[in-house]
Structure formats: structure tokens, C-alpha cells
Amino acid sequence: MGFVDFFETYMIGSRVQVKQLDISDWLNISPGLLILFGYFYIHAFLTAFKEFLRFVNRNSFCLRLRLLYDRFWSHFPVIGEYKIRLLSRILRYTEQRMIPNLEKVLEMIEIWFQLHLVEMTFEKKKNVQIFISSGSDDLNFFKDNKFQTTLMMCNHRSVNDYTLLNYLFFKSCPTKYYNRWEFIQKLRKGEDLPEWPQLKFLGWGKMFNFPQLDLLKNIFFKDETLNLPPDKLRNILETQNNQAIAIFPEVNIMSLELSIIQRKLHQDFPFVTNFYNLLYPRFKNFTSLMSAFSSIKNIKRKKNHNNIIKEARHLFHREIDKLVHKSITMEPSKMSNKIMPPMIVDNSYLFEKKEEASQEKPKPVLINPYIYDFTIVYYRVKYTDSGHDHINGDLKIHKGYQLEQISPTIFEMIRPEMESEDNLKEKDPIVVMVHIKKHQIQQLLAYNDESLERWLENRWIEKDRLIDSFEKKIKIETE
């Protein structure tokens, strides 16, 4: 799949759909898109300014210039001493006040970006209905009013999965944390800025929730299975605030094309579990994160042992990577690197220099005792005059409403709805089924990588069966 085909498939939809938009559609969608781009450009400008201040304060070349500056003015009595103290105060103020406040402002811009995107896609859409399945567990990120570092894992059906998880995350957090006016007032008065519960996605060698340039660079020039080692993950967790961390073990978005590739590979790898509604999970980010958690809680892990099934899994991963990359990369003359969805979003500067990290005291990491496992499926409700009953498997001609599994594009979800009821009826409704199951994390922290891989594979087996049961349980009623 070339870049143009990928962009059409996952981001904006087919050219035919885009051409159907008239001037009123573009006028409706343009303000929201401009706001999103505004967040991006403001964030990029403030990030560059913050890095410039860091460079001035911490770069060895700038420190040498400052030393020469001090030596020069030391030869001038009174005036020289004033000049030296003034520069020292300015640099101290930028280091102790300006840079931390800029980091807070950047965090809040990232949150506002996601809140705005959630409003455009899921929160205010009459034609999109989200159903939490019966038997789902409640999300709880807090203990004694303190936010806990929480692992969330999810199957991957659409680029909108990022926004959907943000939507579910914000719904489970009190709105008092994201009061825009209160934040602006505190910033204007110079008061201490609050800490906000945040959701980050682990992938592409980054922890992100915003489309920063560093993330896009990794997407276009590095492998999507790139992972962070446990020691770097622990450093991130101990230098940042407690946060929810979401991973997509499938890495790639589930599609018919990748499903066919996977089934062909299973003929050569009979030891590897076959999935029909999911892609085979990748383990690196999951095992690395669990290892970091174990290290933080000082829990000794069991030793790893090699076996035939583990080697078969890893070989299967390598083979599917080769075939997947051939199907989703651009022409060799344009780019030889792997391309995957440039999704929502990122918090780039993940690692500080070792010298800086050693000077900072590690922050307490409160680990949630539960892992939250999300299963997401998107359906379009379609009316057919003549077709097969895909829900019940009946080969007879079916007339009426049916469910069709889809992977909606970002543009399809962002596109605003018209106020007219007739226009709403003309659109096929989108139904999003979500199941949430929590698993205790304590016993997993002592597992070795092999046991963690087997545990994750078993969860995917359960998830595969759950998706099969979704359509049988959904009942479509018409007025």
C-alpha cells in the first residue's frame, strides 16, 4: 500500500467520499480543523522556545560564554558586579520558573487538543453511539484522590482508537482537573500550576498523546515495533507524574488485507495461535513495561527459558513484519522505510540527560493494582433490500438492518453532522462496542517474559471469542 492509498484508507477515506462534500460541509469542518492546527503550531513554537532556554542554561558552549562574560565584567567595579548578578538572576528565573511553567503549558495544550478532538468525534455526535457491554468493569484511576500509573491495553481497529481511549479516559476523570479558565488564572497570577491526570500511548519508541515532530520522524523513519527498554521506561515514570499508559499489542490496524496475510502465515507456523478477529499480539512493549513496574516495586522476576513455542512466536513476528511492510510501504524510489498511521498524537521529550536525571529526585510512582483491557469494535448499521444475513449466518436473502464491521477514518468521524433530522437518517449510524475487563497486576510482576507472552496471548484468545459474541448479542430495533 502506497502512502496515498494509506492516507485515503485510514485518514480521509476514498476520493469519491471527499468529492461528495460541498461548500457547506467544508465551512462546517474548517473551524474545528483550524483549531486543531492552531494547537499544533502553538505547541511547536513553545517547544522550540523551551528548548532554546534549556540550551542557553545547560549547553556547555553557553556555559563557557557565560564564564567569559563574568570574567569580562569582573574588571569593572560596581557596574560589572550588577551586570553579573543580573544575568545570573535571569538565567535562574528561566531555569526555575519559565521552563517548568512552559512544560505545564505544553501539557495543558496537549490535553486541550485531545479534549477538542474528542468533542469533534465522539462526544457531540448523534450518529455515533458508544455502548459499553454488559459485564464490563468500571475504570478507576484514583486511590485516596491520588492518580495512579495505570496500564491500559487495547486491540487496534482504527486510528480513532486513540481518540476513543481519550474519550473514555476523560469520562472517568473529574472535570475539575481540566478547567481552562482556572488554569489561565493561575498562570497569569504566577501561582503553582496543578497536576493533571494524563493518558499516554506507548509505541514507536515514544510515550505520546500529541502529533509532535519527533513522533512523526519515528513513524516515517523507524520501525513500528520499536520499543523502550525497561530502564528508560522506569526513568520516564520516575521523572514524570503518574499517568495512564495505553498500548496496542497488535501494532498494526486490523484490516482484511492483514488478516489474509496472517492466515497464510499460520499455515507455516502451526504452533502459533490463529486469530480471526485480531492480529497476533506483539510482546516487546508489554514485557518491557511490566519489567519496569517490577523494578519500581522491587519485585524479583523469574528467569527466562527458551522453548520451541517462544521461538516460533518470534519467528512468526519476523515473517509477518516482512509481509506487512511490503504491503504498507511506499515505492522504493520515494521511501524505503516503514509507514504506519501518523496517529494522534505525542509528548516528545521523553528522556533527560543522565546528568540532569541524576540531579532530580525520583517521583513516587503509584501503580494501579489492575490492568484494564479494552476490546473495541466499530459497526455501521446498514439497511439492505437483498443480501445475506451476516449476523446469523443464514444464506437466504435477507431484507432489513445489518451490522457491518468497519474501520472508520479520522475524517469520517470529524465531519460534522447537519442539524436536519433527514440528513441524520440518510447517514448509516456507527455503533461502537466497548468491553472493559480488569486484571490484577500483582502476580504478573514476578512473571518472566515467556510467561507474560503466554498470558497476553491468552487474553487475545478471550478477546477474539468476545468479538465473535458481540454481533449475536446486539439487537437492532426500529421505530
Side-chain angles (χ1 to χ4, degrees), residues 364-419:
V365 181
L366 306 176
I367 298 178
N368 197 315
Y370 295 103
I371 297 174
Y372 291 96
D373 183 7
F374 293 76
T375 303
I376 297 172
V377 186
Y378 301 85
Y379 297 100
R380 178 175 280 113
V381 182
K382 297 183 70 69
Y383 181 85
T384 57
D385 291 319
S386 58
H388 297 295
D389 189 346
H390 299 293
I391 299 177
N392 300 312
D394 193 351
L395 296 179
K396 295 181 180 180
I397 299 299
H398 172 82
K399 181 178 180 180
Y401 289 96
Q402 294 194 83
L403 292 175
E404 174 189 10
Q405 289 193 28
I406 61 171
S407 297
T409 63
I410 290 180
F411 195 80
E412 184 178 0
M413 298 298 294
I414 287 178
R415 182 181 175 183
E417 296 170 338
M418 306 300 289
E419 296 298 329

Side-chain angles (χ1 to χ4, degrees), residues 268-284:
D268 301 324
F269 295 89
F271 294 105
V272 179
T273 305
N274 194 4
F275 296 102
Y276 296 95
N277 302 296
L278 304 164
L279 296 177
Y280 197 84
R282 315 299 174 90
F283 307 112
K284 288 183 178 179

Side-chain angles (χ1 to χ4, degrees), residues 32 76 126 377 449:
F76 298 87
K126 297 179 181 178
V377 186
D449 288 352

Side-chain angles (χ1 to χ4, degrees), residues 176-187:
K176 66 178 182 179
Y177 287 106
Y178 308 110
N179 188 305
R180 292 180 173 92
W181 179 246
E182 181 182 348
F183 170 79
I184 294 172
Q185 288 289 91
K186 285 181 176 291
L187 183 65

Side-chain angles (χ1 to χ4, degrees), residues 110-142:
E110 294 171 11
I111 293 172
W112 289 348
F113 175 89
Q114 291 299 336
L115 285 170
H116 185 71
L117 194 57
V118 163
E119 290 177 358
M120 294 177 63
T121 51
F122 293 103
E123 196 168 48
K124 296 182 179 180
K125 286 295 185 71
K126 297 179 181 178
N127 214 47
V128 178
Q129 297 295 322
I130 300 174
F131 293 97
I132 307 298
S133 66
S134 60
S136 289
D137 294 314
D138 294 329
L139 292 173
N140 185 11
F141 300 101
F142 295 86

Side-chain angles (χ1 to χ4, degrees), residues 304 316 373:
N304 292 318
F316 178 79
D373 183 7

Side-chain angles (χ1 to χ4, degrees), residues 227-375:
N227 70 305
L228 292 174
D231 57 335
K232 288 187 177 180
L233 279 171
R234 175 171 180 170
N235 181 59
I236 295 170
L237 296 173
E238 290 181 340
T239 55
Q240 297 183 5
N241 300 319
N242 285 286
Q243 55 200 311
I245 304 170
I247 61 173
F248 295 107
E250 288 178 283
V251 179
N252 305 97
I253 293 176
M254 173 68 177
S255 65
L256 179 61
E257 181 182 7
L258 295 184
S259 178
I260 293 172
I261 290 174
Q262 180 171 263
R263 291 181 187 180
K264 287 183 178 180
L265 279 175
H266 275 295
Q267 298 174 3
D268 301 324
F269 295 89
F271 294 105
V272 179
T273 305
N274 194 4
F275 296 102
Y276 296 95
N277 302 296
L278 304 164
L279 296 177
Y280 197 84
R282 315 299 174 90
F283 307 112
K284 288 183 178 179
N285 279 324
F286 177 68
T287 56
S288 186
L289 193 56
M290 295 300 292
S291 178
F293 285 170
S294 300
S295 177
I296 291 171
K297 294 181 73 68
N298 294 319
I299 295 178
K300 187 176 181 180
R301 303 179 70 212
K302 298 177 182 177
K303 294 182 179 180
N304 292 318
H305 302 284
N306 293 326
N307 57 41
I308 297 176
I309 295 179
K310 182 179 180 180
E311 292 300 322
R313 288 191 190 120
H314 293 171
L315 184 59
F316 178 79
H317 283 170
R318 289 195 293 270
E319 292 299 319
I320 199 171
D321 282 342
K322 293 177 183 177
L323 292 176
V324 168
H325 294 155
K326 288 180 181 178
S327 67
I328 63 176
T329 52
M330 295 169 56
E331 297 78 13
S333 60
K334 295 182 179 180
M335 180 179 283
S336 60
N337 296 287
K338 291 82 179 173
I339 303 293
M340 269 302 293
M343 254 314 299
I344 315 183
V345 53
D346 165 81
N347 179 13
S348 61
Y349 303 96
L350 299 177
F351 317 120
E352 297 292 340
K353 295 179 181 179
K354 291 183 178 179
E355 303 85 46
E356 299 166 11
S358 62
Q359 295 174 1
E360 297 178 2
K361 293 183 179 180
K363 295 182 179 180
V365 181
L366 306 176
I367 298 178
N368 197 315
Y370 295 103
I371 297 174
Y372 291 96
D373 183 7
F374 293 76
T375 303

Side-chain angles (χ1 to χ4, degrees), residues 18 27 90 121 209 261 331 399 452 474:
V18 176
L27 289 176
I90 292 173
T121 51
N209 201 4
I261 290 174
E331 297 78 13
K399 181 178 180 180
L452 289 173
I474 297 176

